[in-house]
Every structure is written in C-alpha cells, then in structure tokens.
C-alpha cells in the first residue's frame, strides 16, 4: 500500500529541516526511519531529498508512505456498516458479538477478518489498526487507521484524551438525572478479565452520566455516558458501583437476562482528522435490540 502526501511549505517552516517539519506534522522518528528505506520516499521539488535538507518558502515536499503487508488475518465476509471512509481513516459501526481482533476462540469472526475481506475486495492492502476498541458485545463506532501516519497521530490523540466518545447504555432501575462517578478501578484478584472498584490499589477513573429516559414498566433507564479516563470495563464497573448495572451484562449483572449482551453502544465520536485537521463528528443509531428493550 502507498499513501502520497504533498505539502507546500509556508512561512513558519522556512529553514526547518525536513525531519523537523515531519515531526511537527505527526510523523514519529520510527516512521521517518522507515521512509529512509525506500528510494524517492521523500522528494523536495521533484528531487530525492534527505531529512536534513532545509526548507524554503513555497517548496513542494512529497512523502510517499510505502507499507509492505504481512497479513495473517483470514479474510471473511461478515456484516458490518461503514459510516465514513477516506484515504486515511475508516469509521465502522461494529455489530454485537463481533470481537475486534482474532484470538484463540475467535479466529474468523472478528472485525479484523471482516475488514481484511473488505479491503481485498477493493484490491487494497491495508494493515488492520483499530484505534478505538470495543468489547465483543458492545456495539457502535470504531476508528480504523489505514496507514502508519494516521495511526500514529490518532494514537497520540487517544493518549491525550482528544478523541471524545459518548456511549448509550440501558441500566437497571431509575438513575439520577445526572452525576459523576469518581472511583478507582483495578483487576479483581484471581481474575484475568473482571475489574472492580478498589480504593487502595485501583487506577483513577471518572465517568459522567446523564439520564435520557426512564421506562417505569421495565424499570430501566437509558443513560448517556462520557469517559474522562479509559479503564477496561469502566462504564460497566462504575454503573454497578452505583447500583445501576447494565442490562444483560453477564459479567457484572449475571442475574439479568432481559438482553443477551450488555446494553452498551458507542453512540458518538468527535476528533480532529489526522491528516486534513478537519473536525470530524459521527453518530450511530441505537441498535435494534436496545430499542426493543426500551
């Protein structure tokens, strides 16, 4: 796969080295080292350039990202919905019961398998890089990076809490109109998967919530949630902590069988595009099983 990026040098970057300029555009030193392996991967005014070359006003810098594909993911035709796609990113509405990556018991039923098939059908070779991961049973929006550069920039945005995610959940009982949950989370002793609130050993965790609707007959609340930290199972653990566990959550609410999965959906995504720097906003409708329960 190749991604060609063209830059016209403006006044703030006069006398920058190419390396310094690329670092400011979000390239990592690892990506710059990778570029050096390929002839003409960096050209300045149509001539092969070194990263120590200096830039002048109105110079044309072209970077060709070449990425050999070493793909051992089995392509499988699976149902999923694409919300948006360009040369650098893909936004997917992930269905329920679909893991993100292949594992021992999920070799050919994952989002990685589905996208490998999709890209091959388009005669594209793309390394699978999921930026915003979701649990197997959680539905909703995921960002996929289609090249090294977009992945690097989006991962930095994730680390800096610049990718804003809003979730929708259905919880037991009538939840307060709004509030915040500030309770540290750690792995439960003797468990690889289960998390719990632990004020001695846990990592700082904070969740904001807002009740959108209450169904008195079913005694369930539709709740909007925003994460201010990114701990594993954070929403599920925090809602259990305030005695409003998620419907259908076999791990943290095993006695509730109103749904056959946890009622959790990644509803909104907002972030800055890694290459164009445009503000991106996406929404995915509440899935049918959650709508039916409401």
């Amino acid at each position: 796969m190749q991604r060609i990026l063209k830059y016209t040098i403006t006044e703030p970057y006069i006398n920058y080295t190419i390396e310094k300029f690329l670092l400011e555009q979000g390239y990592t030193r690892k990506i710059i080292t990778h570029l050096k392996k390929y002839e003409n991967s960096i050209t300045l005014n149509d001539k092969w350039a070194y990263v120590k070359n200096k830039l002048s006003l109105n110079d044309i810098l072209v970077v060709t990202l070449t990425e050999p594909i070493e793909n051992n993911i089995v392509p499988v035709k699976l149902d999923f919905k694409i919300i948006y796609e360009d040369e650098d990113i893909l936004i997917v509405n992930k269905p329920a019961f679909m893991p993100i990556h292949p594992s021992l018991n999920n070799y050919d039923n994952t989002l990685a398998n589905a996208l490998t098939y999709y890209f091959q059908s388009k005669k594209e070779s793309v390394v699978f890089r999921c930026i915003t991961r979701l649990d197997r049973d959680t539905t909703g929006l995921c960002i996929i990076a289609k090249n090294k550069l977009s992945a690097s920039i989006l991962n930095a945005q994730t680390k800096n809490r610049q990718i804003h995610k809003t979730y929708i959940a259905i919880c037991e009982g009538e939840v307060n109109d709004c509030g915040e949950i500030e309770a540290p989370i750690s792995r439960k002793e003797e468990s690889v998967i289960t998390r719990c609130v632990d004020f001695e050993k846990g990592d700082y965790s904070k969740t904001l919530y807002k009740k959108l609707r209450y169904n008195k007959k079913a005694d369930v609340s539709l709740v909007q949630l925003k994460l201010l930290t990114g701990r594993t199972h954070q929403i599920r653990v925090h809602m259990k902590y305030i005695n409003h566990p998620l419907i259908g959550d076999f791990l943290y609410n095993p006695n509730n069988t109103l749904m056959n999965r946890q009622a959790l959906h990644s509803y909104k995504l907002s972030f800055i595009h890694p290459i164009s720097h445009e503000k991106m906003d996406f929404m995915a409708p509440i899935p049918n099983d959650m709508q039916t329960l409401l």
Side-chain angles (χ1 to χ4, degrees), residues 27 144 176-177 193 208 239 256 262 282:
Y27 292 75
I144 311 299
N176 292 337
D177 287 345
I193 299 172
L208 305 181
M239 294 313 290
N256 187 293
Q262 70 255 15
F282 300 99

Side-chain angles (χ1 to χ4, degrees), residues 41-292:
S41 61
I42 302 173
T43 64
L44 187 62
N45 303 322
D46 295 325
K47 295 180 180 178
W48 189 14
Y50 296 97
V51 295
K52 298 303 181 185
N53 290 157
K54 290 196 172 182
L55 300 170
S56 300
L57 185 64
N58 296 325
D59 276 350
I60 303 298
L61 179 68
V62 177
V63 176
T64 302
L65 281 169
T66 303
E67 193 165 6
I69 304 299
E70 298 176 2
N71 197 348
N72 59 359
I73 298 173
V74 178
V76 182
K77 189 175 182 180
L78 300 170
D79 288 333
F80 69 99
K81 185 172 182 180
I82 293 173
I83 304 295
Y84 173 85
E85 183 178 10
D86 62 27
E87 289 184 281
D88 302 294
I89 62 172
L90 186 76
I91 309 298
V92 170
N93 186 5
K94 187 184 84 66
F97 312 115
M98 179 182 279
I100 296 291
H101 293 101
S103 60
L104 183 62
N105 296 317
N106 296 286
Y107 182 67
D108 57 5
N109 63 332
T110 72
L111 184 60
N113 299 114
L115 280 173
T116 299
Y117 179 91
Y118 169 73
F119 288 128
Q120 287 189 6
S121 70
K122 293 177 63 182
K123 310 242 183 278
E124 292 183 12
S125 297
V126 177
V127 174
F128 179 75
R129 295 184 177 96
C130 186
I131 305 299
T132 53
R133 298 176 180 86
L134 297 175
D135 292 339
R136 171 185 176 273
D137 295 347
T138 300
T139 56
L141 296 168
C142 296
I143 307 174
I144 311 299
K146 293 178 67 175
N147 55 63
K148 282 178 180 286
L149 179 59
S150 59
S152 172
I153 295 170
L154 288 168
N155 281 327
Q157 288 185 19
T158 300
K159 184 178 179 181
N160 294 325
R161 312 299 301 168
Q162 294 169 328
I163 296 179
H164 304 290
K165 296 176 279 186
T166 303
Y167 291 84
I168 294 288
I170 303 177
C171 306
E172 280 191 1
E174 184 172 8
V175 177
N176 292 337
D177 287 345
C178 61
E180 60 181 47
I181 307 164
E182 205 167 5
I185 293 174
S186 72
R187 180 181 283 128
K188 195 171 183 179
E189 287 187 13
E190 300 179 1
S191 175
V192 176
I193 299 172
T194 310
R195 266 58 177 178
C196 64
V197 169
D198 187 331
F199 283 91
E200 292 184 3
K201 301 177 184 177
D203 294 317
Y204 177 79
S205 308
K206 187 173 183 178
T207 304
L208 305 181
Y209 67 88
K210 177 183 178 182
K211 182 178 68 180
L212 301 178
R213 192 188 314 168
Y214 174 60
N215 183 327
K216 187 174 182 180
K217 183 177 180 180
D219 190 29
V220 297
S221 297
L222 179 67
V223 181
Q224 175 181 289
L225 301 120
K226 292 185 178 181
L227 303 179
L228 300 188
T229 52
R231 309 302 176 198
T232 301
H233 298 176
Q234 181 173 321
I235 288 173
R236 298 162 68 185
V237 172
H238 272 178
M239 294 313 290
K240 178 184 178 181
Y241 175 69
I242 64 169
N243 297 316
H244 293 290
L246 269 58
I247 299 301
D249 190 340
F250 71 93
L251 195 60
Y252 300 103
N253 192 18
N255 295 325
N256 187 293
T257 56
L258 288 175
M259 278 180 59
N260 61 350
R261 68 173 183 93
Q262 70 255 15
L264 184 60
H265 178 63
S266 175
Y267 175 59
K268 290 182 183 179
L269 266 179
S270 298
F271 60 98
I272 301 300
H273 192 284
I275 307 301
S276 71
H277 308 300
E278 294 176 42
K279 191 173 188 301
M280 312 296 285
D281 293 289
F282 300 99
M283 293 177 62
I286 301 174
N288 290 336
D289 57 356
M290 290 177 66
Q291 289 194 40
T292 299

